[in-house]
Amino acid sequence: MRLLPDPIRRLAAWCAVTLLVAGVVYVGIRLCVEFKTAVVPVLLALLGTALLGPLYRRMVKARVNRSVAAGVTCVAVVGVVGGAVYIVVAALIDTGDQIVASLKDAAKGVAEHFGAAGTSVEDLAVNAKDLLSKFGGTAASGVISGVSVVGEAMAMAVLALLLVFFFLRDSHRAVGALRSLVPRASEDLAEAIGRRAFEAVEGFMRGTTLIALIDATCITVGLLILDVPGAVGLGALVFVGAYIPYLGAFISGAVAVLVALADKGFVIALWALGVVLAVQVLEGHVLQPMIQSRTVQMHPAVVMLTITAGASVAGVLGMLLAVPLTAAAFGIAHELRERYGDEVSAEGS
């Protein structure tokens, strides 16, 4: 190795480190996939804890017992989430037929204009049935392995809620537990990394929730002014889609424009598109810099690659978890750079 120039040796060292890290990450991902029934509730509980931490800490500062504060927080979350789900489901039930009919009319219009060599809506339905009949059994056997998907999802949700309770109640012990798991010489570094990662996830969750609420409210008001059918349901779709950056906003906005096109015509569809684009511009140039200025900022290309990787590993759930986990990784990287960047620069010079 001494015969090689210094740049080549440094490149070889970096390649070895990259391969080692990639191997460790791959093994970790495979283990998480194998034990997803236990891993997913833990990740969801961490996200929930990051979102609910400020409320819990305020109650503790008000001298409320930690167990009571954690329990009240979890009950409040169940009430808010349950009420929100009820409102969204009720709105979708009331306006779902209108949305489906509008989308069907839009599909028929597209088929009439571009369907000379294409396929009609009825043909698409027949083809979909054929595909389901051919591959439905295989897909079902791959997804359902002796356990009901609904039952498994409910079990994971309950476990995640219980973990949120314990994570909140015992959050004051987290630092001590982390320090006890690492060598004494690395305790300060482990604590700093853990704090930075959790702060990044906490900031991301709070900021995303607030941005999602503002986006959904603005788009719902705009659609109501334009008298687009199913405005409340479409606003709920915007809120949920905001947790998948860029892709969720694109899909929910496209659905809103299609519904407006089918029910109100081309002019109203253009107005609906203007509302969606205006909200996205407001989010990108005002809300994101102002609300998430204290969290880890990621380039849109990094976000899209992260979402794609998460979808390939765990589907929709992977898309939801990919960005906050990447935010935690960026937080750790920034902490390490702040601690060791000066030392590396000094050695290089």
Side-chain angles (χ1 to χ4, degrees):
M1 292 291 292
R2 293 182 179 180
L3 298 177
L4 297 175
D6 287 341
I8 301 300
R9 283 189 291 174
R10 291 177 183 175
L11 177 62
W14 277 110
C15 291
V17 171
T18 302
L19 290 175
L20 179 61
V21 172
V24 172
V25 171
Y26 176 78
V27 172
I29 291 175
R30 296 309 304 173
L31 289 175
C32 290
V33 172
E34 291 294 329
F35 299 100
K36 63 180 180 180
T37 307
V39 173
V40 170
V42 173
L43 295 177
L44 293 177
L46 288 175
L47 296 183
T49 304
L51 182 61
L52 301 173
L55 174 61
Y56 168 77
R57 289 192 291 269
R58 289 183 181 180
M59 296 180 67
V60 172
K61 286 182 180 180
R63 297 183 180 181
V64 178
N65 181 271
R66 292 184 178 273
S67 298
V68 175
V72 170
T73 303
C74 292
V75 170
V77 168
V78 172
V80 171
V81 173
V85 170
Y86 174 78
I87 293 173
V88 170
V89 171
L92 291 177
I93 290 175
D94 292 339
T95 60
D97 294 338
Q98 292 176 299
I99 295 176
V100 172
S102 299
L103 290 176
K104 187 175 181 181
D105 292 339
K108 287 183 177 180
V110 172
E112 290 176 358
H113 287 87
F114 303 101
T119 307
S120 65
V121 176
E122 289 75 11
D123 293 334
L124 290 175
V126 173
N127 292 333
K129 291 180 180 178
D130 292 338
L131 289 175
L132 288 175
S133 63
K134 290 180 180 179
F135 302 108
T138 304
S141 63
V143 175
I144 304 174
S145 57
V147 181
S148 171
V149 174
V150 176
E152 182 179 350
M154 292 180 62
M156 288 193 296
V158 172
L159 179 57
L161 182 63
L162 293 175
L163 289 175
V164 168
F165 171 80
F166 290 118
F167 287 171
L168 288 173
R169 190 193 66 178
D170 300 328
S171 58
H172 62 291
R173 303 176 183 173
V175 174
L178 179 61
R179 296 176 71 93
S180 66
L181 295 175
V182 298
R184 187 176 299 274
S186 303
E187 288 180 351
D188 293 338
L189 176 61
E191 180 181 348
I193 288 176
R195 288 185 183 277
R196 181 63 72 94
F198 189 77
E199 287 173 359
V201 176
E202 189 176 48
F204 174 83
M205 290 300 296
R206 291 203 311 266
T208 301
T209 301
L210 181 57
I211 291 172
L213 182 61
I214 295 174
D215 286 355
T217 302
C218 293
I219 290 180
T220 301
V221 171
L223 295 179
L224 287 173
I225 293 175
L226 295 175
D227 196 23
V228 176
V232 177
L234 293 171
L237 182 62
V238 171
F239 180 82
V240 175
Y243 284 93
I244 305 177
Y246 304 108
L247 183 61
F250 173 78
I251 295 175
S252 57
V255 172
V257 173
L258 283 176
V259 172
L261 175 64
D263 192 81
K264 297 296 182 178
F266 184 74
V267 176
I268 299 298
L270 285 180
W271 278 103
L273 178 61
V275 170
V276 173
L277 292 178
V279 171
Q280 295 305 314
V281 170
L282 175 66
E283 174 186 340
H285 292 81
V286 178
L287 298 181
Q288 287 281 357
M290 182 176 64
I291 295 177
Q292 292 190 338
S293 59
R294 297 182 181 180
T295 63
V296 178
Q297 298 295 321
M298 292 180 288
H299 193 275
V302 176
V303 174
M304 294 302 298
L305 290 175
T306 300
I307 293 173
T308 303
S312 64
V313 173
V316 177
L317 187 61
M319 296 170 68
L320 294 173
L321 295 174
V323 179
L325 292 179
T326 304
F330 270 64
I332 294 173
H334 287 176
E335 179 66 28
L336 294 176
R337 185 176 63 182
E338 290 177 1
R339 282 178 169 263
Y340 299 109
D342 296 336
E343 297 179 7
V344 174
S345 300
E347 292 178 359
S349 60

